[in-house]
């Protein structure tokens, strides 16, 4: 009755809200009609006054004077009263009804919390306190030996019976309160029976089991009679607890699982008959937990191999049939909780069965056939459900997707290696295809963990053949051919599939681009695709050089040179890759947020070229000069590296033209560019000084280069009115002066000191002259600091 009253209150509140909205809409309609009447009245007045005013002007003796004077239109005076639309009688009646019902609805709403506490919460707290009190009293009696063991059990049964009798007496008038008392009485009977068997041995195991089983059956029947799921839940928990409470450690696993199977079937039937989904969800959780603990504890040796698989299959089929029954007969919609139960049911059966089979019969073919059997079950179910033609076609799609999932798992189990990653990716791609074709975002949510697993599997595939990622060592680890091995090509296929998913997701409807799936597929997945492509080629290049190093022998001079060449080559590859990504995004993809990210990557790559690439080129040059090797390879690598840096900056400039940066961004980019150009010029100077045999005599030249570059920046800043260039020139002049007096002068000869001081002084004087010459242009007129390339 309490539930019915709550439903009535909710309906009355909804009706009240709808009527309030209806009244508000009517008021707005009245305002609109009033405005319409005014406009009509004005239009009618203008139409009537125009001919009359022209006739009066022609017949009036003052018309000539009026024609001389500047004429102003006479104001229009509307004498017609605005039309007030009359309320519709139904609306009047609705207003009266709402006014009369509002106090009652508000009063009932205010009583909602009080009603919940008084009729629901307090009763449950009360029965819980009563049960605790009974057990505290029983414990006190036991501790003080006030009554015998048999008397304690009898008193416990009497207390339970008293609650049950009181519940039966109050059922007709107070159904919900009576159900709470009934649940408490049943719980007391359960635990008193357990205490009588376990603590005092007052009854044999068979009698205790029969008594608790009868109590469970009676509880289910009472739940049906009361139509209260809370009683059924108590009976369900008690049913699962019986074998564990009454266990004597004899290891009768066959009896245990037979009992659990019977209980599961009975409870799912009850769940379906009364539409109490919570019963089969609880049963699903408890029964699979029991099987998992049993297998994890290696207790499956107490039961035959076939019987174990049969019980696992019964548990799986029971809940599979429960799920399908709701979809077929009750025509439930496919929602996320049901998806999780269906998926977990399939995965629990597969993984527990897989573990059990691998422990008893670890042959690969057996595991493969077991996996294919799982796929066949789902394929057959999918076909049957398809023939039934449910209104919710997503059930068929998901069941078929499960079949595909186990097919893809079966192949790598049989073949092993890179196929695992490939087939996980194919599975995720198929799920995405179904999602895009049928506009079902649910399949994207399912595909997400599959694709994440594929990425993790790919990382594992990469770690095996590569030394620096923790792979095997020695020449035996380099048996594959770079760029012509299974690892490379399967990784490329995986990357292409990830790229295809990213491309398709960019074309889907807006409603498919909402929530966390959009963050994954629209923002994260494209980056994962690019990372896959980049690292796949990166690892193959690294692998090729590692193979050459292993052939030369670690520690040799030749191996050291190959290490330098490897680092330079990888730096060139990185610069070219980032350049391509920048241009492709600017011309084809046109994602503004990606442009900022790729531009940051470009600046980091530029720093890597300067700090790592040019450094390793210098080390290679030193080794080649010491060993009197031809410098052709070194020259090729050096200028290929500089060419890669030039291409990188050209791509960055091109991309910023397509996606203009803010003024701060352009100035920051300009500063980084000037630092890069100065570093390359200094490196080039050192390079040729080293080749010419002046490896330790370039301090003077570097100081002069810094000063000249600072002057060029100053000239550019004045000519283009760029303040950041002029400030950068000042900073560089300051650094040059510090370098000169702190580092250079201590080791230079007198002539060198004279030359560098004179040159630097002249450069500073020229700079000062330029500032003085153009100071009016720079400081009097407003400066343009608009974004520009610099």
């Amino acid at each position: 009755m309490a539930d019915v009253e709550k439903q009535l209150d909710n309906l009355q509140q909804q009706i009240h809200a709808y009527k309030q909205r209806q009244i508000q809409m009517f008021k707005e309609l009245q305002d609109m009609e009033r405005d319409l009447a005014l406009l009509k009245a004005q239009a009618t007045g203008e139409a009537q006054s125009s001919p009359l005013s022209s006739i009066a002007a022609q017949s009036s003796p003052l018309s000539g004077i009026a024609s001389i004077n500047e004429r102003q239109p006479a104001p229009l005076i509307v004498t017609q009263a605005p039309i007030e639309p009359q309320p519709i009688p139904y609306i009047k009646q609705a207003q009266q009804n709402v006014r009369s019902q509002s106090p009652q609805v508000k009063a009932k709403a205010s009583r909602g919390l009080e009603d919940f506490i008084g009729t629901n919460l307090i009763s449950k707290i009360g029965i819980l306190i009563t049960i605790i009190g009974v057990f505290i009293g029983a414990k006190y009696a036991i501790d003080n030996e006030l009554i015998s063991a048999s008397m304690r059990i009898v008193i416990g049964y009497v207390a339970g019976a008293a609650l049950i009798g009181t519940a039966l007496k109050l059922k007709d008038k107070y159904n919900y309160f009576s159900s709470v008392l009934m649940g408490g009485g049943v719980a007391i009977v359960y635990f008193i029976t357990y205490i009588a068997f376990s603590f005092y041995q007052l009854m044999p195991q068979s009698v205790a089991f029969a008594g608790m089983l009868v109590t469970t059956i009676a509880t289910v029947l009472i739940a049906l009679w009361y139509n209260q799921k809370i009683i059924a839940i108590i009976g369900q928990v008690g049913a699962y607890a019986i074998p564990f409470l009454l266990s004597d450690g004899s290891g009768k696993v066959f009896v245990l699982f037979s009992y659990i199977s019977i209980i599961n079937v009975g409870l799912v039937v009850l769940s379906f008959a009364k539409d109490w989904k919570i019963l089969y969800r609880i049963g699903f959780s408890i029964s699979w937990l029991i099987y998992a603990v049993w297998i994890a504890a290696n207790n499956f040796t107490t039961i035959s191999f076939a019987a174990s698989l049969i019980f696992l299959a019964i548990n799986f089929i029971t809940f599979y049939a429960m799920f399908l029954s709701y979809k077929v007969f009750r025509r439930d919609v496919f929602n996320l909780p049901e998806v999780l139960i269906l998926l977990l049911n399939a995965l629990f059966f597969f993984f527990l069965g897989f573990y059990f089979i691998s422990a008893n019969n670890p042959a690969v073919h057996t595991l493969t056939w077991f996996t294919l059997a799982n796929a066949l079950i789902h394929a057959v179910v999918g076909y049957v459900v398809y023939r039934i033609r449910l209104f919710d076609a997503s059930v068929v799609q998901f069941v078929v997707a499960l079949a595909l999932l186990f097919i893809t798992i079966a192949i790598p189990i049989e073949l092993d290696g890179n196929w695992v990653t490939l087939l996980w990716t194919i599975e995720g791609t198929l799920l995405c295809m179904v999602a895009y074709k049928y506009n079902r975002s649910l399949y994207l949510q399912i595909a997400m963990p599959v694709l994440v697993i594929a990425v993790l599997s790919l990382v594992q595939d990469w770690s095996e053949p590569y030394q620096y990622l923790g792979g095997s060592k020695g020449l035996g680890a380099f048996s594959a051919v770079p760029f012509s091995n299974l690892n490379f090509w399967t990784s490329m296929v995986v990357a292409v599939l990830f790229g295809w998913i990213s491309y398709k997701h960019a074309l889907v409807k807006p409603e498919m681009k909402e929530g966390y799936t959009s963050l994954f597929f629209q923002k994260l997945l494209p980056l994962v695709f690019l990372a896959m492509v980049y690292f796949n080629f990166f690892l193959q290049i690294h692998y090729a050089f590692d193979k050459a190093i292993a052939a030369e022998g670690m520690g040799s001079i030749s191996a050291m040179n190959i290490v330098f060449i490897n680092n330079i080559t990888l730096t060139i590859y990185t610069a070219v890759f980032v350049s391509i990504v920048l241009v492709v995004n600017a011309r084809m993809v046109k994602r503004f947020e990606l442009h900022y990210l790729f531009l940051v990557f470009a600046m980091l790559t530029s720093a890597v070229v300067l700090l790592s690439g040019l450094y390793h080129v210098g080390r290679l040059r030193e080794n080649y000069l010491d060993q009197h090797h031809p410098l052709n390879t070194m020259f090729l690598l050096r200028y290929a590296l500089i060419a890669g840096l030039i291409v990188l900056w050209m791509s960055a400039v091109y991309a910023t033209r397509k996606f203009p940066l803010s003024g701060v961004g352009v100035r920051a980019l300009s500063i980084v560019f000037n630092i890069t150009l100065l570093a390359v010029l200094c490196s080039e100077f050192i390079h040729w000084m080293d080749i010419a045999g002046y490896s330790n005599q370039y301090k003077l030249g570097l100081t002069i280069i810094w000063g000249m570059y600072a002057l060029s920046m100053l000239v550019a800043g004045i000519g283009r009115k760029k303040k950041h260039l002029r400030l950068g020139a000042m900073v560089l002049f300051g650094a040059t002066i510090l370098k000169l007096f702190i580092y250079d002068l201590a080791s230079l000869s007198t002539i060198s000191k004279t030359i560098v001081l004179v040159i630097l002084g002249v450069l500073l004087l020229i700079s000062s002259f330029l500032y003085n010459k153009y100071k009016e242009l720079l400081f009097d007129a407003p400066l343009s600091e608009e974004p520009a390339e610099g």
Side-chain angles (χ1 to χ4, degrees):
M1 292 299 291
D3 290 340
V4 175
E5 291 178 357
K6 291 178 182 177
Q7 292 177 5
L8 288 173
D9 289 343
N10 290 334
L11 287 175
Q12 288 176 347
Q13 293 176 12
Q14 291 177 7
I15 291 170
H16 173 68
Y18 289 148
K19 289 182 177 180
Q20 290 288 355
R21 288 170 54 188
Q22 189 178 34
I23 293 171
Q24 181 63 31
M25 291 175 65
F26 174 70
K27 289 180 180 178
E28 295 175 359
L29 179 61
Q30 283 182 322
D31 294 338
M32 293 172 64
E33 289 179 345
R34 186 179 297 107
D35 294 339
L36 180 62
L38 290 172
L39 290 174
K40 286 181 178 180
Q42 290 179 4
T44 304
E46 290 177 357
Q48 293 176 356
S49 62
S50 296
L52 292 174
S53 61
S54 61
I55 294 172
Q58 293 174 3
S59 59
S60 174
L62 299 177
S63 60
I65 300 174
S67 63
I68 297 173
N69 297 330
E70 185 179 1
R71 299 178 181 179
Q72 297 292 336
L76 175 64
I77 301 175
V78 180
T79 58
Q80 183 177 354
I83 299 174
E84 289 286 345
Q86 296 299 318
I88 303 173
Y90 170 75
I91 300 297
K92 283 186 173 181
Q93 184 63 40
Q95 291 174 340
Q96 295 175 0
N97 291 340
V98 170
R99 292 192 191 98
S100 62
Q101 291 182 7
S102 293
Q104 299 176 8
V105 173
K106 291 179 180 178
K108 289 186 177 181
S110 65
R111 291 204 313 266
L113 180 62
E114 179 184 359
D115 179 66
F116 170 75
I117 295 174
T119 62
N120 191 332
L121 188 60
I122 289 180
S123 61
K124 292 179 180 179
I125 295 175
I127 193 64
L128 179 62
I129 292 174
T130 302
I131 294 173
I132 294 173
V134 169
F135 279 96
I136 290 176
K139 183 178 184 304
Y140 177 81
I142 293 171
D143 293 340
N144 293 275
E145 297 183 355
L146 300 178
I147 52 177
S148 64
S150 301
M151 197 63 186
R152 299 166 194 165
I153 300 301
V154 171
I155 292 175
Y157 278 123
V158 170
L163 283 176
I164 294 173
T166 304
L168 293 175
K169 184 176 181 61
L170 299 175
K171 181 183 181 300
D172 292 336
K173 292 185 178 180
Y174 309 100
N175 185 73
Y176 186 78
F177 179 75
S178 173
S179 68
V180 175
L181 297 180
M182 180 64 70
V186 169
I188 289 175
V189 171
Y190 266 120
F191 286 105
I192 289 298
T193 304
Y194 167 69
I195 291 171
F197 165 76
S198 180
F199 291 171
Y200 304 120
Q201 292 79 42
L202 295 177
M203 61 181 70
Q205 184 187 40
S206 57
V207 175
F209 183 86
M212 296 180 78
L213 185 60
V214 169
T215 304
T216 299
I217 296 173
T219 303
V220 173
L221 294 176
I222 292 170
L224 293 174
W225 183 36
Y226 272 85
N227 195 28
Q228 293 289 341
K229 67 180 71 174
I230 182 65
I231 301 176
I233 292 173
I234 293 174
Q236 181 182 22
V237 174
Y240 285 112
I242 287 173
F244 299 98
L245 293 176
L246 302 182
S247 175
D248 58 359
S250 60
K252 297 177 181 179
V253 182
F254 190 89
V255 176
L256 170 66
F257 289 133
S258 299
Y259 170 79
I260 290 177
S261 299
I262 295 172
I263 292 296
N264 283 342
V265 172
L267 287 174
V268 296
V269 171
L270 175 62
S271 173
F272 180 78
K274 300 297 293 183
D275 197 17
W276 292 342
K277 289 185 179 181
I278 190 173
L279 295 183
Y280 95 83
R281 291 174 181 175
I282 292 175
F284 170 84
S285 303
I286 294 178
S287 57
W288 277 122
L289 179 63
I290 292 171
Y291 280 106
V293 171
W294 170 66
I295 291 179
N298 292 321
N299 290 328
F300 43 77
T301 54
T302 59
I303 191 171
S304 67
F305 177 77
S308 301
L309 285 181
I310 289 172
F311 283 125
L312 284 176
I314 290 174
N315 204 57
F316 164 69
I317 293 171
T318 299
F319 294 106
Y320 205 169
M322 183 75 252
F323 171 84
L324 294 175
S325 297
Y326 270 99
K327 301 305 171 190
V328 175
F329 299 107
R330 292 194 179 275
R331 304 177 72 83
D332 275 2
V333 178
F334 207 47
N335 51 36
L336 187 59
E338 303 302 321
V339 169
L340 290 176
I341 289 179
L342 177 58
L343 180 62
L344 291 175
N345 189 53
L347 293 179
F348 285 157
F349 173 62
F350 171 74
F351 284 116
L352 293 179
F354 191 93
Y355 178 79
F356 179 73
I357 293 173
S358 61
N360 288 271
N361 188 4
V364 173
H365 298 296
T366 305
L367 297 173
T368 303
W369 283 113
F370 174 71
T371 308
L372 290 176
N374 278 265
L376 180 62
I377 291 171
H378 295 294
V380 171
V381 170
Y383 176 76
V384 172
V385 176
Y386 170 75
R387 297 294 298 177
I388 296 174
R389 298 187 180 278
L390 292 179
F391 74 101
D392 190 359
S394 59
V395 177
V396 179
Q397 298 164 14
F398 189 79
V399 172
V400 172
L402 284 176
L404 294 174
L405 171 65
F406 287 110
I407 291 174
T408 56
I409 293 175
I411 297 176
I413 289 174
E414 184 70 21
L415 300 178
D416 206 358
N418 299 89
W419 296 108
V420 178
T421 304
L422 180 61
L423 293 171
W424 275 114
T425 306
I426 293 174
E427 177 65 25
T429 305
L430 291 174
L431 289 170
C432 291
M433 289 176 62
V434 174
Y436 298 144
K437 183 176 181 180
Y438 296 100
N439 197 29
R440 298 281 297 190
S441 58
L442 174 64
Y443 288 92
L444 293 180
Q445 298 171 6
I446 300 171
M448 283 173 55
V450 177
L451 295 176
V452 171
I453 293 173
V455 173
L456 297 177
S457 180
L458 180 65
V459 174
Q460 182 182 7
D461 294 342
W462 284 346
S463 66
E464 293 177 358
Y466 306 122
Q467 288 190 14
Y468 50 91
L469 293 180
S472 56
K473 308 293 190 294
L475 274 175
F478 300 102
S479 57
V481 179
F483 297 100
S484 182
N485 54 75
L486 182 63
N487 200 318
F488 172 74
W489 288 109
T490 53
S491 299
M492 284 305 300
V493 173
V494 170
V496 169
L497 291 175
F498 270 72
W500 180 87
I501 295 172
S502 302
Y503 169 74
K504 292 294 291 184
H505 192 80
L507 304 177
V508 298
K509 297 179 179 179
E511 57 266 22
M512 295 281 284
K513 296 182 180 180
E514 298 177 354
Y516 59 90
T517 54
S518 176
L519 178 64
F520 180 84
F521 286 96
Q522 192 171 359
K523 299 184 182 298
L524 184 60
L525 206 64
L527 298 179
V528 173
F529 159 69
L530 293 175
M532 285 181 177
V533 176
Y534 170 78
F535 282 109
N536 197 25
F537 283 94
F538 183 96
L539 294 174
Q540 292 298 315
I541 295 171
H542 211 315
Y543 176 79
F545 284 103
D546 284 346
K547 188 173 183 179
I549 292 170
E552 290 289 337
M554 294 298 297
S556 65
I557 299 296
S558 298
M560 186 180 299
N561 291 336
I562 295 174
V563 170
F564 295 148
I565 295 173
N566 177 31
N567 293 330
I568 298 166
T569 305
L570 291 174
T571 305
I572 296 171
Y573 162 71
T574 303
V576 173
F577 183 86
V578 175
S579 302
I580 294 173
V581 168
L582 273 168
V583 174
V584 170
N585 181 63
R587 288 181 62 89
M588 300 173 60
V589 181
K590 299 179 180 179
R591 295 272 295 276
F592 195 75
E593 67 275 10
L594 291 180
H595 166 68
Y596 275 117
L597 183 62
F598 296 155
L599 198 59
V600 171
F601 287 160
M603 298 302 100
L604 293 176
T605 304
S606 180
V608 171
V609 172
L610 299 179
L611 299 176
S612 177
L614 292 178
Y615 168 77
H616 287 105
V617 166
R619 291 293 305 274
L620 185 64
R621 179 185 65 247
E622 293 173 0
N623 282 357
Y624 275 24
L625 290 174
D626 292 341
Q627 300 163 26
H628 304 289
H629 283 317
L631 300 179
N632 298 336
T633 303
M634 186 271 300
F635 277 114
L636 177 64
L637 289 172
R638 176 177 181 82
Y639 291 107
L641 179 66
I642 294 176
L645 184 61
I646 293 172
V647 170
L648 178 66
W649 274 99
M650 291 176 64
S651 302
V653 171
Y654 173 82
T656 52
R657 288 176 178 172
K658 297 291 184 179
F659 299 101
L661 299 176
S662 64
V664 175
V666 170
R667 289 192 287 273
L669 196 64
S670 175
I671 292 172
V672 176
F673 171 77
N674 283 283
I675 293 173
T676 303
L677 181 56
L678 178 60
V680 172
L681 291 174
C682 293
S683 175
E684 191 69 8
F685 173 75
I686 295 171
H687 169 74
W688 287 107
M689 290 290 290
D690 202 3
I691 291 176
Y694 302 101
S695 57
N696 296 319
Q697 301 179 26
Y698 46 77
K699 295 180 180 179
L700 173 62
L702 287 179
T703 303
I704 294 173
I705 290 173
W706 284 23
M708 294 180 66
Y709 196 88
L711 178 61
S712 65
M713 286 181 65
L714 183 62
V715 172
I718 293 174
R720 302 178 62 183
K721 299 181 181 179
K722 297 298 178 185
K723 184 177 180 180
H724 69 280
L725 292 178
R726 300 194 303 273
L727 293 178
M730 293 179 184
V731 172
L732 186 54
F733 270 128
T736 304
I737 294 171
L738 288 175
K739 176 181 179 296
L740 174 64
F741 286 98
I742 294 176
Y743 181 68
D744 294 343
L745 293 181
S747 58
L748 291 177
S749 63
T750 303
I751 296 176
S752 300
K753 291 177 182 178
T754 302
I755 293 172
V756 72
L757 287 172
V758 170
I759 293 175
L760 183 59
V762 171
L763 292 175
L764 289 171
L765 289 173
I766 294 173
S767 302
S768 178
F769 169 75
L770 292 174
Y771 257 103
N772 281 279
K773 183 177 180 179
Y774 297 105
K775 64 179 180 179
E776 293 182 359
L777 177 65
L778 295 176
F779 303 116
D780 294 341
L783 294 178
S784 171
E785 290 294 345
E786 294 298 323
E789 299 171 14

